[in-house]
Amino acid sequence: MEHSNSSNAGDQSCLEMAMEMEVHRVVPPPHESTLRKLKTTLKETFFPDDPLRQFKGQPTGKKWILAAQYIFPILQWCPDYSLKLLKSDVVSGLTIASLAIPQGISYAKLANLPPIVGLYSSFVPPLVYAVLGSSRDLAVGPVSIASLILGSMLTQEVSPVNDPVLFLQLAFTTTFFAGFFQASLGFLRLGFIIDFLSKATLIVLSSVFHNTNEWSWQTILMGFCFLVFLLVARHVSIKNPGCFGYQLHHGISIIGKLQEGLNPPSWNMLQFHGSHLGLSIKTGLVTGIISLTEGIAVGRTFAALKNYKVDGNKEMMAIGLMNMVGSSTSCYVTTGAFSRSAVNHNAGAKTAVSNIVMSVTVMVTLLFLMPLFQYTPNVVLGAIIVSAVVGLIDIPAACQIWKIDKFDFIVMLCALFGVIFISVQDGLAIAVGISIFKILLQITRPKTVMLGNIPGTDIFRDVHHYKESMKIPGFLILSIEAPINFANSTYLNERVLRWIEEYEAEDHKKQSRLRFLIFEMSAVSSIDTSGTSFFKELKKTVEMKEAELVLVNPLGEVMEKLQKSDENGEFMRPDCLFLTVGEAVATLSATIKV
């Protein structure tokens, strides 16, 4: 009895809506040629930022100036550079240099490279980035995760101990290919590829329990003590600045003598042939994408804090060219590091001149200060490395991912266990593969929901979300929340038929039967030939059940393709097309004989 009253109330509400509501006609989209559609698609795919818009309406001379500024961003801010900005950049540059020098040496060791290569990589790349980069806060140099991956992948085939020259050649060649891939992504406007590395993929933990036969208890003890020192030194030094000394003991190794002088050329060491070429390309691809992801993410983060924009494709080209130049000047893979950039930002950096100041400081170190590092214990570098690896353990981010998306948390765990139990590159590959599988799952299994009317309004919402929404007798109203294409049309057909069967089973003992199947299509952004076939077959199925298929708010491209596929003019009749669900229900309810 209660249901009968509810149904009568729903019918009465629909009749009142039909009398009061003005029905708007659904019009087809304006005609566009295939060439124009292709042009629009390509533009939105590869040039969403429309980089050429600044040249429109400008005289020839101005266009040349804008082109030079676009290629060399340093020309944009250099004319307005002032002494006040220089003071801030000098302070920040000296600050990040004090961090870059020990980090550079340590990260080179992490990559199984000579420590001096880490300093070389903190000299040339920052100069290149200062000219080509668009970020004001990005501090360039070696980073822990790229160093770890490079060392791990190359060591699988070449020993840095038994064949150090070949290992160094492969490291430089890897850096060249990393830069080449990075610059190519920017030049070809393919930056969306790096988006497959989700945040969950990049939260990676690294194991330190390998090669236990090489452990020394003296080294472990001193390394632990120095690690504690690193974690508290920045707080202590503010109130009690001082000089810390040390005395070497038996069993503790030191860095040894480091070569003085600037970067020697290394283009003659690049190996573009031989049995290890594939290894260099593979390692370059992985380290290039990983370092590029970190660099662009860091650049965008600080750009948002200071309310300026960073051009992602220009950044790719800048970082790529920086690494290609670096590979010819004894440098390995570099990018913008978060920790170093955070120090640069907090120290008051205003422009990329801070990178130049850091580079000059490293140059002075290479020329005159190298003997000071000769007796530095390796455990000091080890503590810096452990400190950097600990920095990769982002517990708050992991908790946030668990809170927001359990699937992303699984991706993160797969990356973690893959890195620990297999290898760094395989762990990342597994995580990326799972991320792609998630995307494919969303495409092939789109969400469909049943809509009901919120009493007293013409608004229709998900009946499971809005408990007060009411089903309209005789109507099955569904919303598809994804494009319809060959990948999901079969699933959608099966799912909709199940919706119909469930509706008929629910109303088996009721007098009302299914009269109209309404599709709310506001979220269907595109459709292909498989999608049009899906609607044709569904229409036939619905007609066999003596019901009608009704479409609500099909978007321009979708409506155009459905019209072209409707050769007999029966599928897209005006009485089967409506602008809103409310108008459809109100109009169609008036046609039902009560």
Side-chain angles (χ1 to χ4, degrees):
M1 186 68 181
E2 181 179 350
H3 177 78
S4 176
N5 293 336
S6 175
S7 299
N8 292 334
D11 292 341
Q12 183 64 31
S13 175
C14 290
L15 288 173
E16 292 175 356
M17 287 169 54
M19 291 185 291
E20 297 176 0
M21 183 174 295
E22 178 185 357
V23 178
H24 300 83
R25 189 169 64 91
V26 179
V27 297
H31 176 72
E32 286 186 341
S33 65
T34 303
L35 183 61
R36 184 175 180 82
K37 290 178 184 177
L38 178 61
K39 180 181 178 181
T40 301
T41 301
L42 292 176
K43 179 182 177 181
E44 291 303 318
T45 301
F46 298 105
F47 301 95
D49 54 341
D50 193 12
L52 300 180
R53 69 184 184 279
Q54 60 180 327
F55 297 95
K56 296 177 181 178
Q58 299 291 345
T60 303
K62 181 66 174 177
K63 288 181 178 179
W64 281 108
I65 294 175
L66 291 174
Q69 291 177 340
Y70 183 83
I71 298 173
F72 304 105
I74 190 174
L75 298 178
Q76 294 178 358
W77 52 263
C78 190
D80 299 324
Y81 199 72
S82 64
L83 181 60
K84 182 179 179 181
L85 295 177
L86 177 61
K87 291 179 180 178
S88 299
D89 286 335
V90 168
V91 171
S92 58
L94 293 175
T95 303
I96 57 176
S98 65
L99 179 65
I101 292 172
Q103 275 190 348
I105 296 174
S106 303
Y107 293 165
K109 296 281 287 185
L110 185 61
N112 296 315
L113 295 171
I116 191 66
V117 175
L119 289 182
Y120 291 157
S121 302
S122 299
F123 171 47
V124 172
L127 293 176
V128 178
Y129 183 82
V131 176
L132 300 176
S134 58
S135 174
R136 305 172 193 169
D137 299 276
L138 204 65
V140 171
V143 294
S144 56
I145 188 169
S147 302
L148 180 65
I149 293 174
L150 183 143
S152 173
M153 294 184 69
L154 294 183
T155 303
Q156 291 181 356
E157 295 190 20
V158 179
S159 170
V161 177
N162 299 331
D163 204 342
V165 175
L166 177 59
F167 191 89
L168 192 59
Q169 290 174 338
L170 295 181
F172 293 152
T173 307
T174 292
T175 301
F176 175 85
F177 282 116
F180 177 78
F181 288 132
Q182 291 168 336
S184 298
L185 288 177
F187 182 77
L188 299 175
R189 318 288 291 188
L190 297 176
F192 59 85
I193 293 178
I194 66 173
D195 293 335
F196 283 108
L197 281 172
S198 62
K199 182 176 177 61
T201 305
L202 294 177
I203 300 178
V204 180
L205 310 183
S206 301
S207 175
V208 296
F209 298 101
H210 295 299
N211 304 321
T212 55
N213 58 314
E214 298 179 5
W215 287 4
S216 165
W217 71 267
Q218 301 99 326
T219 301
I220 294 174
L221 178 62
M222 185 173 180
F224 178 78
C225 294
F226 195 80
L227 175 59
V228 174
F229 165 75
L230 279 179
L231 297 176
V232 302
R234 63 177 179 177
H235 302 289
V236 176
S237 61
I238 295 176
K239 297 182 178 180
N240 301 293
C243 179
F244 296 88
Y246 59 83
Q247 181 179 358
L248 300 180
H249 298 279
H250 175 72
I252 300 177
S253 61
I254 60 174
I255 293 178
K257 186 176 180 180
L258 297 177
Q259 179 181 342
E260 294 183 71
L262 301 180
N263 303 34
S266 58
W267 54 74
N268 59 325
M269 300 182 70
L270 301 179
Q271 302 288 313
F272 299 117
H273 54 79
S275 58
H276 298 295
L277 179 60
L279 174 64
S280 298
I281 295 175
K282 179 176 68 173
T283 309
L285 177 62
V286 175
T287 56
I289 292 180
I290 292 294
S291 59
L292 190 62
T293 302
E294 179 175 359
I296 292 181
V298 171
R300 287 175 175 170
T301 297
F302 290 106
L305 290 176
K306 289 189 175 181
N307 196 29
Y308 69 92
K309 292 184 179 181
V310 169
D311 189 322
N313 287 292
K314 286 168 65 176
E315 285 295 284
M316 294 176 199
M317 289 188 284
I319 294 174
L321 292 173
M322 175 183 75
N323 279 313
M324 292 178 71
V325 172
S327 68
S328 299
T329 53
S330 300
C331 305
Y332 77 106
V333 178
T334 55
T335 189
F338 181 80
S339 60
R340 202 172 307 155
S341 299
V343 171
N344 193 35
H345 171 80
N346 292 332
K350 303 299 182 184
T351 69
V353 169
S354 60
N355 273 296
I356 298 176
V357 174
M358 177 187 69
S359 181
V360 171
T361 305
V362 174
M363 178 188 71
V364 173
T365 303
L366 287 169
L367 290 175
F368 306 109
L369 304 180
M370 295 315 297
L372 299 179
F373 295 92
Q374 179 174 351
Y375 297 104
T376 303
N378 277 323
V379 292
V380 172
L381 306 182
I384 294 175
I385 292 171
V386 173
S387 179
V389 171
V390 168
L392 296 176
I393 307 175
D394 197 343
I395 300 297
C399 295
Q400 184 74 357
I401 288 175
W402 167 260
K403 180 180 179 181
I404 296 174
D405 192 324
K406 303 299 188 292
F407 193 99
D408 274 355
F409 186 79
I410 294 175
V411 173
M412 185 199 68
L413 290 181
C414 291
L416 164 64
F417 294 124
V419 167
I420 292 177
F421 297 111
I422 308 176
S423 67
V424 174
Q425 66 272 21
D426 289 337
L428 291 175
I430 291 171
V432 171
I434 296 175
S435 297
I436 294 175
F437 173 75
K438 177 185 177 182
I439 295 174
L440 293 176
L441 196 62
Q442 292 172 343
I443 294 173
T444 58
R445 295 295 183 268
K447 186 178 180 181
T448 58
V449 297
M450 181 187 294
L451 304 183
N453 176 243
I454 296 180
T457 73
D458 62 347
I459 299 173
F460 288 77
R461 291 293 182 266
D462 182 3
V463 295
H464 295 292
H465 185 185
Y466 294 85
K467 301 300 182 182
E468 71 274 20
S469 60
M470 298 171 51
K471 300 176 183 178
I472 306 298
F475 290 82
L476 175 57
I477 309 170
L478 302 177
S479 175
I480 301 177
E481 302 178 354
I484 303 176
N485 50 49
F486 70 94
N488 57 30
S489 58
T490 301
Y491 164 79
L492 283 174
N493 187 58
E494 296 173 352
R495 184 67 185 95
V496 171
L497 291 179
R498 195 161 80 248
W499 277 114
I500 295 175
E501 291 173 1
E502 291 172 358
Y503 180 92
E504 292 175 338
E506 182 180 348
D507 287 353
H508 180 66
K509 296 182 179 180
K510 304 172 186 176
Q511 294 182 354
S512 63
R513 62 177 179 83
L514 179 62
R515 302 290 188 90
F516 300 99
L517 173 61
I518 298 180
F519 272 112
E520 210 290 323
M521 300 179 63
S522 299
V524 181
S525 58
S526 63
I527 193 172
D528 64 1
T529 52
S530 297
T532 59
S533 299
F534 156 72
F535 280 108
K536 286 183 178 181
E537 294 173 6
L538 186 61
K539 181 175 177 60
K540 293 178 182 178
T541 302
V542 171
E543 287 177 346
M544 291 176 61
K545 297 180 179 293
E546 298 182 353
E548 287 190 50
L549 176 64
V550 178
L551 305 183
V552 170
N553 195 30
L555 303 182
E557 176 188 339
V558 176
M559 186 175 180
E560 183 180 10
K561 290 184 178 180
L562 287 175
Q563 283 180 325
K564 291 181 178 179
S565 66
D566 186 21
E567 298 175 354
N568 298 325
E570 298 179 356
F571 186 48
M572 300 290 289
R573 300 195 319 268
D575 59 339
C576 294
L577 281 175
F578 293 89
L579 206 56
T580 68
V581 176
E583 292 181 1
V585 172
T587 303
L588 298 173
S589 295
T591 66
I592 300 177
K593 295 181 180 180
V594 182

